[in-house]
Amino acid sequence: MSGSGERAPLRVEGLSLLTSRDILLDRLSFAVEPGEVLALSGGAGAGKTLLLRALAGLAPKGVTVLGDIRIQGRRILVTQDGALDPLRPLGAQFTDLLAHQSGLDERTALRRAAEALERFQVPAAARRLALHPHELGEAMRWRAALALAMAAQPALLLADAPAAALDPTQRVRLLNDLAAWTREAGTALLLAGRPQPDPVHSGLADRRLILAQGRLEAPEEEPTPAPSPVEPAPSGPPILSVRDLRVAFPLGRSWRGEERWLTVVDGLSIALAEGETLALLGETGSGKSVLARAILRLVPPVGGQVSWLGTDLAAAPPEAMRRARRDLQILFPDPLAAFDPLMTIGAQLAETLESLRPTRSAADQAAWLAEALEEVGLPSAVLDLYPGSLRPAEAARAGLARALLPEPRLLVCDEPAAMLDGAERGDFLALLRAIRRRRRLALLYATQDAAEGLGVARRALVLLLGRIVEAADSAVLAAGARHPYSRALIAAARLARPALHGDPPSPLRPPTGCALRLRCPLAHDGCAQVPPSLDTVAPGHRVACHVAHDDAQDGAQVGGRAP
C-alpha cells in the first residue's frame, strides 16, 4: 500500500494477530519512511491500539503474532494516557531515559530535557523539571510526555491517540508541533486516532491509512459535504428568553475573610424562537455546558432570568417546574452514565413517561415506547436490555428516545455525540437533525467541535470564560468569523494549526481586559485595559474584540487561514 525502501524505520509485511478463536488483524502491510507522518485512523475497537502494541513488542498475552515486522533503530510507544511516573519529578524521568537510551550524563540529559520541553512551548522549561506530573495541567503533561519521547531521538515513534482528551485547539496545535519535530529530526511517526477530517489535506500527515474490521484500507477521497439546508429565520416571538444569567460557585473565604466565587456564566443573554437552532461553541471552561444546565435549572443560577413561555424558571415553584420539564429535555455527553445501570431501558423509559405524561394506559404506554425506539432506529427488544449491554451508539439513541417521550418543544444537547466516532457519529447527528425538523423542535447544541455545531444549528454563539465573544448565523461564522478565538475553533475542527498559543486562562484567575489577550497573536497593550464590548459589526453579527473592530483584514490570517 506504500513504497518502502530498506531505510524505512518501520516495515510491516503480512502482519496478522490471532487468538485461538478470532483473527484480530489480518495481513497488514505498510511502511513508514524517515521523517514521514503516517496517520492511522479507525473507529473504536478497530485494532489501532493492538497494532501499535504489537509493533512495540508488547502484544497482549494469548495473542499470536504472524508476519514480518522490521524496525530500523530505536522505537518508542506513547500510550493513550501519556503515562508518566507519578512518584518522580520530570527531571529524574528524563535523565533515567536518556542515560539508558543514549548514555548521557545527568547535566547533558537535563539540558536536552529543557530543550525538548521548549520545543513544545513549555514556559520556564528548566524549572518545570522539578515538578511531578500531578503538578502539571493536562495539556502541559502531554507536552512533557511527548517531549520525553522525542528527547530520546527515536527512529520510530508510535503515538496512540495522543492528547485525545484535550480541547481541539490545544490538541491540534500539539499534534502539529509533534509532526514538525519528527519531520525535522527524520523520525518516522505512526499517529493513531479516531476518524476525523483528512489529516493529509490539512498538512498534519503525509499519508493516511484506515483500519477497519482488522484490515488496512486506503482512504477514499472525501466528498465535499453538501451544504446544510438554510433554515428561514424564525418569525415568531421567543419561547425561551435568557437575560443577564449568572452562574457562580462559592469557593469559601479568603485569608482576609472575604467570600470567593468562581464565576462560570457571566451575564449571558440569549433568545430562542419556536423551532430555532442555536449552537454554543467553546473550549472546556467556556461555560457552555453550565449555561445549558442552568437554563433547565439543573444548576442553580445566582442572578438573571430564564423565561420559558413567560414563566421564570429560575423562580418557578416545583409544580410549575414539573410542567415545564415536559417541554424541556436534555441529552448528556455520556448517555450510559445518565441511565440507571440496575434498571432495564424499558423500565426507565416507562418511568419517564409515567412521570411527565401519566395519562396513558398500560397498552398505550407499551406502544408509545416501541414507537419511540423505532423513531430513533432501535428495535423494541432494547426495552428488555440493561444499559451495560448497549454499545455507545445504541446508548446515544436510547437517550434520545427517552428525551423525546414527553414530546418536548426544546431539546438541549450537551456534546450528545461525544462518545461516538466516525460513521456512528455522523449517523446520530443526521438522525438528530431529521427528528428536529420533523417535530419542529427548538435546539440548543453545546459542543467543542465548531464544524459540528455550525453544521447542526442555524445560529451560533462563541463563548469564552462565560461571556459571548461572537454571535452570528452559522454560515457567516463558517465563512468569515471575525474573532481570533472563533477562527481558532474553526481551524482546529479542520485540523489546521490554530494561531492561538498557550493554554486557556483559569477562571479562578482570569486576565484583565480581554480574556484571550495572553494567547492572541493580535493582542496589543489596549487589550489589557478593559474587556471588549459585544458590538454589532454587520447585521446579525456581533463581536467582542478590540482588534476585530479596528483591523478585521489583518485578523484573517488567524486560525490557520492563508494570508
Side-chain angles (χ1 to χ4, degrees):
M1 304 183 74
S2 66
S4 56
E6 293 300 324
R7 292 177 55 251
L10 173 64
R11 186 176 180 182
V12 177
E13 294 181 357
L15 176 64
S16 297
L17 270 62
L18 306 90
T19 65
S20 58
R21 298 179 55 185
D22 301 306
I23 300 176
L24 306 177
L25 298 177
D26 187 15
R27 295 168 292 177
L28 311 186
S29 296
F30 63 97
V32 191
E33 305 291 340
E36 182 183 25
V37 179
L38 176 61
L40 177 70
S41 63
K48 304 182 299 295
T49 296
L50 182 63
L51 172 59
L52 265 63
R53 288 181 62 86
L55 297 177
L58 300 171
K61 185 178 180 180
V63 173
T64 301
V65 180
L66 302 178
D68 189 18
I69 301 175
R70 299 180 189 177
I71 296 177
Q72 301 284 340
R74 183 179 300 136
R75 61 186 170 186
I76 290 182
L77 170 65
V78 178
T79 58
Q80 288 185 7
D81 56 3
L84 295 168
D85 187 341
L87 302 179
R88 306 175 66 219
L90 292 181
Q93 299 186 54
F94 271 95
T95 53
D96 280 1
L97 177 66
L98 297 180
H100 175 72
Q101 296 284 4
S102 306
L104 300 183
D105 59 69
E106 182 178 1
R107 183 175 180 180
T108 305
L110 289 176
R111 185 175 67 250
R112 184 183 291 183
E115 292 171 352
L117 291 174
E118 289 172 354
R119 284 293 300 261
F120 282 117
Q121 286 79 48
V122 175
R127 293 203 300 270
R128 305 273 181 177
L129 293 172
L131 301 179
H132 289 74
H134 71 270
E135 298 177 281
L136 305 173
E138 182 71 5
M140 195 71 70
R141 188 177 63 80
W142 265 109
R143 293 186 188 118
L146 294 174
L148 178 62
M150 286 302 295
Q153 299 178 338
L156 171 65
L157 180 61
L158 306 166
D160 188 6
L166 294 184
D167 283 304
T169 50
Q170 295 176 291
R171 175 172 53 85
V172 172
R173 187 179 180 89
L174 185 61
L175 293 182
N176 275 272
D177 287 342
L178 176 63
W181 192 353
T182 57
R183 288 179 175 123
E184 179 184 318
T187 299
L189 172 60
L190 182 56
L191 185 62
R194 291 187 173 186
Q196 55 190 353
D198 187 356
V200 177
H201 184 267
S202 68
L204 175 61
D206 301 301
R207 285 189 298 124
R208 179 189 186 193
L209 293 176
I210 297 176
L211 189 59
Q213 298 181 339
R215 294 187 176 183
L216 283 178
E217 302 175 352
E220 299 179 357
E221 185 174 348
E222 296 185 358
T224 302
S228 301
V230 178
E231 299 181 8
S235 56
I239 56 175
L240 174 71
S241 179
V242 178
R243 297 179 183 175
D244 298 322
L245 188 68
R246 292 188 68 252
V247 180
F249 301 98
L251 297 176
R253 295 184 179 275
S254 67
W255 63 274
R256 294 179 177 177
E258 301 169 339
E259 278 198 46
R260 297 182 304 146
W261 291 81
L262 173 62
T263 300
V264 182
V265 175
D266 192 5
L268 285 183
S269 297
I270 62 174
L272 205 60
E274 186 84 38
E276 188 180 12
T277 55
L278 176 66
L280 305 176
L281 309 178
E283 297 173 308
T284 300
S286 63
K288 59 187 186 300
S289 293
V290 173
L291 171 62
R293 285 164 165 77
I295 287 173
L296 302 184
R297 219 171 80 176
L298 301 178
V299 174
V302 297
Q305 184 182 59
V306 178
S307 177
W308 172 254
L309 296 175
T311 299
D312 183 7
L313 299 184
E319 184 55 35
M321 196 65 220
R322 175 180 290 274
R323 288 194 300 270
R325 291 206 186 281
R326 298 175 185 175
D327 294 333
L328 310 172
Q329 289 293 303
I330 186 170
L331 298 180
F332 295 101
D334 186 352
L336 277 179
F339 280 108
D340 186 334
L342 302 180
M343 295 175 64
T344 65
I345 297 297
Q348 295 183 65
L349 265 60
E351 186 177 66
T352 298
L353 194 58
E354 179 63 27
S355 173
L356 298 178
R357 298 288 183 185
T359 59
R360 304 180 186 279
S361 66
D364 287 343
Q365 185 182 86
W368 194 260
L369 297 184
E371 289 175 7
L373 289 184
E374 182 180 3
E375 184 176 19
V376 299
L378 291 176
S380 59
V382 169
L383 294 172
D384 298 324
L385 300 180
Y386 286 88
S389 63
L390 299 181
R391 294 184 296 105
E394 293 172 331
R397 289 174 183 250
L400 177 58
R402 180 168 66 175
L404 295 173
L405 276 175
E407 298 180 310
R409 299 175 66 178
L410 170 65
L411 191 59
V412 176
C413 301
D414 182 14
E415 298 275 10
M419 307 302 292
L420 308 181
D421 55 51
E424 290 182 338
R425 189 182 189 107
D427 290 345
F428 178 79
L429 293 176
L431 172 67
L432 179 62
R433 287 193 291 263
I435 289 176
R436 191 212 66 78
R437 286 193 298 268
R438 184 166 60 249
R439 292 187 174 222
R440 192 159 173 72
L441 287 168
L443 186 72
L444 192 65
Y445 196 94
T447 180
Q448 295 178 1
D449 189 326
E452 183 174 292
L454 297 179
V456 167
R458 188 192 69 84
R459 192 161 55 91
L461 304 179
V462 182
L463 305 185
L464 176 63
L465 282 190
R467 294 184 176 182
I468 300 171
V469 297
E470 189 159 11
D473 286 351
S474 295
V476 172
L477 277 180
R482 293 282 192 93
H483 200 285
Y485 181 65
S486 305
R487 294 197 190 103
L489 294 175
I490 294 169
R494 307 193 306 261
L495 295 184
R497 179 186 176 89
L500 300 184
H501 50 77
D503 297 332
S506 168
L508 292 171
R509 293 179 299 277
T512 59
C514 175
L516 191 70
R517 67 178 178 83
L518 299 179
R519 304 171 68 196
C520 179
L522 303 180
H524 52 68
D525 291 343
C527 297
Q529 304 304 315
V530 294
S533 58
L534 187 64
D535 297 328
T536 299
V537 295
H541 191 174
R542 297 179 296 158
V543 181
C545 177
H546 296 304
V547 178
H549 301 322
D550 301 333
D551 199 356
Q553 292 303 316
D554 286 349
Q557 299 180 22
V558 178
R561 297 189 178 196

